[in-house]
Amino acid sequence: MKIKKESMFNTLIRCANSCMKLGYIFLAFTLFPWAHECISVALRWKSIAEADLEFNDYFYYHCVCVVGSLFFALSATVLLRYMEDE
């Protein structure tokens, strides 16, 4: 039984890491264009009316990936707690 719990723990940790990496990718797709628009307004390359300061659709995917990663990490933590009891 202990081997199954350890393999499940490792699987949950890998899933949490994968979701977090995917979240970082979506965060980059969200924040870099937004930061570019902010900088172009600050340097007066664009007027505030021309700038597109709304987040794109990837922002919501990033939030889902972070929540999923936290869920997998919490599940792995709970499983680790039960692994230590035996």
Side-chain angles (χ1 to χ4, degrees):
M1 186 69 174
K2 188 173 183 176
I3 294 172
K4 288 183 181 179
K5 284 185 180 180
E6 287 177 5
S7 65
M8 182 62 105
F9 173 76
N10 290 331
T11 302
L12 287 171
I13 291 296
R14 277 190 299 246
C15 288
N17 286 336
S18 297
C19 277
M20 190 56 75
K21 287 177 186 174
L22 190 62
Y24 288 149
I25 291 169
F26 285 132
L27 180 65
F29 278 118
T30 300
L31 292 182
F32 289 153
W34 184 78
H36 181 268
E37 292 292 322
C38 289
I39 290 170
S40 64
V41 168
L43 295 176
R44 298 177 196 245
W45 293 340
K46 289 184 177 179
S47 68
I48 193 79
E50 294 174 347
D52 181 23
L53 296 175
E54 293 183 13
F55 288 123
N56 57 16
D57 294 337
Y58 293 110
F59 180 73
Y60 303 106
Y61 295 126
H62 166 69
C63 293
V64 168
C65 288
V66 169
V67 168
S69 177
L70 291 175
F71 172 74
F72 286 131
L74 181 64
S75 301
T77 305
V78 168
L79 189 63
L80 181 64
R81 170 80 174 124
Y82 286 119
M83 282 174 23
E84 290 175 354
D85 285 346
E86 291 181 356

Short mmCIF file of all heavy atoms in Angstrom, two decimals, residues 7 9-19:
data_model
loop_
_atom_site.label_atom_id
_atom_site.label_comp_id
_atom_site.label_asym_id
_atom_site.label_seq_id
_atom_site.Cartn_x
_atom_site.Cartn_y
_atom_site.Cartn_z
N SER A 7 3.68 6.47 -5.25
CA SER A 7 3.54 6.74 -6.68
C SER A 7 2.41 7.74 -6.93
O SER A 7 2.53 8.59 -7.82
CB SER A 7 3.29 5.43 -7.45
OG SER A 7 2.06 4.86 -7.08
N PHE A 9 1.55 10.12 -4.83
CA PHE A 9 2.11 11.39 -4.41
C PHE A 9 2.98 11.98 -5.51
O PHE A 9 2.86 13.16 -5.85
CB PHE A 9 2.93 11.20 -3.12
CG PHE A 9 3.69 12.41 -2.70
CD1 PHE A 9 3.04 13.48 -2.11
CD2 PHE A 9 5.06 12.49 -2.90
CE1 PHE A 9 3.74 14.61 -1.73
CE2 PHE A 9 5.76 13.62 -2.52
CZ PHE A 9 5.10 14.68 -1.93
N ASN A 10 3.85 11.17 -6.11
CA ASN A 10 4.73 11.66 -7.18
C ASN A 10 3.91 12.09 -8.39
O ASN A 10 4.24 13.09 -9.04
CB ASN A 10 5.73 10.58 -7.57
CG ASN A 10 6.76 10.36 -6.49
OD1 ASN A 10 7.08 11.26 -5.73
ND2 ASN A 10 7.27 9.14 -6.39
N THR A 11 2.85 11.37 -8.69
CA THR A 11 1.98 11.75 -9.80
C THR A 11 1.29 13.09 -9.54
O THR A 11 1.22 13.95 -10.43
CB THR A 11 0.92 10.67 -10.04
OG1 THR A 11 1.57 9.43 -10.30
CG2 THR A 11 0.01 11.02 -11.20
N LEU A 12 0.80 13.27 -8.32
CA LEU A 12 0.15 14.55 -7.98
C LEU A 12 1.13 15.71 -8.05
O LEU A 12 0.79 16.80 -8.52
CB LEU A 12 -0.48 14.46 -6.59
CG LEU A 12 -1.75 13.62 -6.49
CD1 LEU A 12 -2.13 13.43 -5.03
CD2 LEU A 12 -2.87 14.25 -7.26
N ILE A 13 2.36 15.49 -7.58
CA ILE A 13 3.37 16.55 -7.65
C ILE A 13 3.69 16.89 -9.10
O ILE A 13 3.83 18.06 -9.46
CB ILE A 13 4.63 16.14 -6.87
CG1 ILE A 13 4.35 16.11 -5.37
CG2 ILE A 13 5.80 17.06 -7.17
CD1 ILE A 13 3.98 17.45 -4.77
N ARG A 14 3.82 15.88 -9.95
CA ARG A 14 4.09 16.14 -11.37
C ARG A 14 2.93 16.90 -12.02
O ARG A 14 3.16 17.82 -12.82
CB ARG A 14 4.34 14.84 -12.11
CG ARG A 14 5.77 14.34 -11.98
CD ARG A 14 5.98 13.20 -12.93
NE ARG A 14 5.06 12.13 -12.58
CZ ARG A 14 5.42 10.94 -12.12
NH1 ARG A 14 6.67 10.64 -12.00
NH2 ARG A 14 4.53 10.03 -11.82
N CYS A 15 1.71 16.53 -11.69
CA CYS A 15 0.54 17.25 -12.23
C CYS A 15 0.52 18.70 -11.76
O CYS A 15 0.20 19.61 -12.52
CB CYS A 15 -0.75 16.54 -11.83
SG CYS A 15 -1.04 15.01 -12.69
N ALA A 16 0.85 18.92 -10.48
CA ALA A 16 0.89 20.28 -9.95
C ALA A 16 1.95 21.10 -10.67
O ALA A 16 1.72 22.26 -11.05
CB ALA A 16 1.15 20.26 -8.45
N ASN A 17 3.12 20.51 -10.91
CA ASN A 17 4.19 21.23 -11.61
C ASN A 17 3.80 21.51 -13.06
O ASN A 17 4.08 22.60 -13.57
CB ASN A 17 5.48 20.42 -11.57
CG ASN A 17 6.13 20.46 -10.21
OD1 ASN A 17 5.90 21.38 -9.43
ND2 ASN A 17 6.94 19.46 -9.90
N SER A 18 3.17 20.56 -13.71
CA SER A 18 2.75 20.76 -15.10
C SER A 18 1.71 21.87 -15.20
O SER A 18 1.78 22.72 -16.10
CB SER A 18 2.18 19.47 -15.68
OG SER A 18 3.16 18.48 -15.72
N CYS A 19 0.75 21.87 -14.29
CA CYS A 19 -0.28 22.92 -14.31
C CYS A 19 0.34 24.28 -14.04
O CYS A 19 -0.06 25.28 -14.65
CB CYS A 19 -1.36 22.63 -13.28
SG CYS A 19 -2.60 21.48 -13.85
#
